[in-house]
Amino acid sequence: GGHRALRRAFELGPAGVLREVTESKLVGRGGAAFPTGRKWEAVAKNVVRPHYLVCNADESEPGTFKDRVLMEEDPFAVIEAMTIAGVTTGCEVGFLYIRGEYPRATARLRSAIEQARTRGLLGDDILGQGGVRFDVELRRGAGAYICGEETAIFNSIEGYRGEPRNKPPFPVQSGVFRKPTVANNVETLVNVLDIVLDGGQAF
């Protein structure tokens, strides 16, 4: 049943996926609890290009490892969810920012990304859908606790010291490389698979 949700997302189209995610009332599972549908819609409607997606897999709170379990046990779900989010919000590149202390999760995600590319589930023409493009870059953190904060991640991805930025502007307006950016936690994204398959109301 792998990647059924991605195929369903193409059937629904970006507007349909946005509708279901908004109706589901899914909120950020990284702690901020911001409505995911509102965040995605803001980026999708932004006329500035390109758009970027960031999956926050830094998870550096002491004793916290829920995202590690998801990444180690079902890395394909993380990649599939990122792809749905990227295609829905008009992103062609997604950055998966993972903490350096997760070597097993990193290895499994890297393998999943390579297999997805080989099978046409990432890259320049996903599932033969007329040139729909999305790809994932894996970026490893260097152990900085502050890089769990989304704007510090942006600085780190860009090659700068991982320090938070002032808000506003918010990431949906100016994120990675100062472009509109969707930033979601691993658990938030993985929930999107059930929402796409079963509908927002059921979630």
Side-chain angles (χ1 to χ4, degrees):
H3 284 76
R4 275 196 311 131
L6 179 59
R7 291 180 171 86
R8 177 61 178 153
F10 277 118
E11 292 172 6
L12 291 170
V17 174
L18 270 177
R19 183 181 63 248
E20 296 297 342
V21 171
T22 301
E23 188 176 346
S24 73
K25 296 182 171 59
L26 175 67
V27 297
R29 304 298 296 161
F34 190 85
T36 304
R38 277 178 55 195
K39 182 183 289 188
W40 286 20
E41 187 173 19
V43 172
K45 288 183 174 179
N46 198 317
V47 295
V48 177
R49 287 293 192 273
H51 296 172
Y52 291 106
L53 172 72
V54 172
C55 175
N56 184 347
D58 191 65
E59 193 173 46
S60 52
E61 287 288 344
T64 305
F65 47 86
K66 63 181 179 59
D67 292 344
R68 173 184 161 195
V69 173
L70 289 169
M71 292 184 286
E72 289 185 359
E73 298 302 323
D74 198 352
F76 290 101
V78 179
I79 304 306
E80 181 181 11
M82 286 183 69
T83 306
I84 291 171
V87 170
T88 300
T89 57
C91 305
E92 291 192 349
V93 177
F95 296 99
L96 203 169
Y97 190 94
I98 186 168
R99 66 181 303 196
E101 295 87 345
Y102 280 179
R104 180 178 295 165
T106 300
R108 290 182 178 177
L109 285 164
R110 186 170 283 127
S111 175
I113 290 167
E114 290 171 0
Q115 290 182 60
R117 283 197 194 113
T118 301
R119 294 169 184 263
L121 300 166
L122 283 176
D124 293 330
D125 187 20
I126 297 171
L127 291 175
Q129 292 291 321
V132 176
R133 183 183 188 283
F134 182 77
D135 210 342
V136 174
E137 289 188 24
L138 192 65
R139 298 290 181 91
R140 292 186 71 189
Y145 173 78
I146 194 61
C147 283
E149 197 276 335
E150 62 183 3
T151 63
I153 286 180
F154 303 158
N155 278 340
S156 181
I157 288 171
E158 292 176 26
Y160 300 112
R161 184 194 300 266
E163 293 179 333
R165 299 175 183 174
N166 291 328
K167 299 178 188 177
F170 294 97
V172 296
Q173 301 153 332
S174 178
V176 177
F177 305 113
R178 310 295 169 174
K179 299 297 183 182
T181 301
V182 176
N184 282 133
N185 165 272
V186 172
E187 186 187 359
T188 308
L189 286 167
V190 170
N191 274 306
V192 169
L193 303 180
D194 287 334
I195 292 167
V196 169
L197 285 171
D198 301 329
Q201 191 63 46
F203 183 85

